[in-house]
Amino acid sequence: DLLLFDSSDSNVFEVGGTDSGYTGTNQGLVELSSIDAKNNTLVLINDGKVNIGNQNSILKISGGEKNTAIFTKASGDILNNKAKIYITDSNKSTGIYAKQSGTVNNSGNLDISGKAVNGIVADAAIINNSGKILFDGGKFDDTNGSVALAALNGGNLSAVGTGNDIKISGRSSIGLYSTGTSSQIRLENATVETNDGGIGIFSQQNGLTNLNAVNIDVKKQSLAFMTESNGKINFGSNKVMATISGSSEMQDRGTAFYYKGTSYSPFNAVTIASWSANTFNGTINNLTLNMQPGSRLFIANDISINLSDTSFSSIASSLGSYIIGNDYKVFMLYLSKLNIDNRVNLDEQVNARSEE
């Protein structure tokens, strides 16, 4: 069987029926394309169990904007997909989006590039992905960035294939984003690269991100790990490595962690140790930080710190991760208070506080 769809108009290819209990199965070849279109959905599942069972099947989106390869909202109905998904230079487009649907099992590879693109989104749904992910997403503007993997509103997304390669760039772009109570992402066997102001891993509002055998490469102006509102990040027993790039220019440094205080709350070795244990659930010893010369360990927001508490060794050791390198900046203060209770010569370049 061959299903071929080419269009520059807004169209929908719908798999499955509207009756409860319908099962649609296609073991033949499925080829669907959207070229320079807007608001296309190649596979839309409103109801019914669907299997796209031929691994040579292709769902392809090229150009245009706001297109989706697979969208399912079939509550309680399983979707099994083996089709490969390609998105090339299609802004604000998405590979797989499951919204309050049954479980999605995807073994098809995904190769996605564009501005403000989304890879896989589990929105109050469960997605199990074993396909290889190649993702290269940039920002459309400062408020519309790319997100490779997202778990929203209690969604659960597992990506445990091999050779996963995620690249994001630009402010408002995020590699992995988990938000909402019971939301969870699991990523294994992957490389995550963030550049030009992007965030590698962001968990908030009780969301959880689990990393295992993951390498994170933080380029200029970018951030490796960020949590807010009781968001958590777990580092698995197969080590996680984060390489943080440096620069002689303060604004271009890569940063490992974003720390958000409350009403100028204290920032010192004791509070850092407590924050680390809570935020990373006691797993930060499985994280290795490769701090390149001129990189930064923390951006600290809305905190108060005594100059006497800024000891390079005490802050680094209280974090609990294994750190490679010693020619990095410990922190940059943002909208915070620094109490000068010690003498310091800021003209000494050997001083770890210089420029920050």
Side-chain angles (χ1 to χ4, degrees), residues 164-351:
N164 297 315
D165 189 7
I166 293 170
K167 294 182 174 71
I168 60 105
S169 63
R171 297 184 185 280
S172 69
S173 290
I174 304 170
L176 280 64
Y177 178 53
S178 178
T179 182
T181 301
S182 299
S183 294
Q184 188 170 160
I185 295 176
R186 178 186 174 197
L187 178 66
E188 296 185 0
N189 309 312
T191 297
V192 178
E193 177 185 300
T194 177
N195 203 353
D196 291 328
I199 300 172
I201 316 296
F202 185 17
S203 295
Q204 68 170 4
Q205 301 291 338
N206 299 302
L208 172 64
T209 302
N210 298 289
L211 304 174
N212 202 35
V214 175
N215 290 319
I216 301 169
D217 194 3
V218 179
K219 303 293 188 181
K220 72 171 187 176
Q221 301 177 1
S222 298
L223 176 68
F225 307 107
M226 182 172 180
T227 62
E228 285 185 349
S229 303
N230 206 39
K232 308 286 187 180
I233 299 171
N234 287 346
F235 302 109
S237 57
N238 289 331
K239 297 290 187 177
V240 176
M241 166 78 81
T243 299
I244 315 298
S245 69
S247 173
S248 60
E249 300 296 327
M250 183 177 64
Q251 68 273 15
D252 287 337
R253 304 188 201 280
T255 303
F257 303 101
Y258 177 85
Y259 182 102
K260 179 69 167 65
T262 303
S263 300
Y264 302 117
S265 52
F267 183 77
N268 52 47
V270 174
T271 57
I272 291 170
S274 176
W275 169 84
S276 175
N278 180 60
T279 300
F280 306 110
N281 290 322
T283 66
I284 199 167
N285 60 304
N286 291 324
L287 171 67
T288 296
L289 291 172
N290 183 6
M291 303 296 294
Q292 299 293 297
S295 60
R296 181 189 297 122
L297 192 60
F298 282 101
I299 291 177
N301 183 8
D302 197 12
I303 61 96
S304 176
I305 187 170
N306 294 324
L307 189 60
S308 59
D309 290 329
T310 62
S311 166
F312 185 96
S313 58
S314 65
I315 290 179
S317 62
S318 66
L319 181 62
S321 64
Y322 179 68
I323 299 179
I324 299 171
N326 55 23
D327 187 18
Y328 59 89
K329 303 299 179 182
V330 178
F331 59 87
M332 180 181 76
L333 300 183
Y334 177 70
L335 298 178
S336 296
K337 293 181 178 179
L338 174 63
N339 178 31
I340 309 297
D341 63 343
N342 245 350
R343 288 189 175 188
V344 62
N345 184 357
L346 294 178
D347 292 327
E348 293 180 7
Q349 293 303 308
V350 297
N351 194 305

Side-chain angles (χ1 to χ4, degrees), residues 122-126 151-157 179-184:
D123 185 352
I126 297 173
L152 317 174
N153 303 310
N156 191 309
L157 171 55
T179 182
T181 301
S182 299
S183 294
Q184 188 170 160

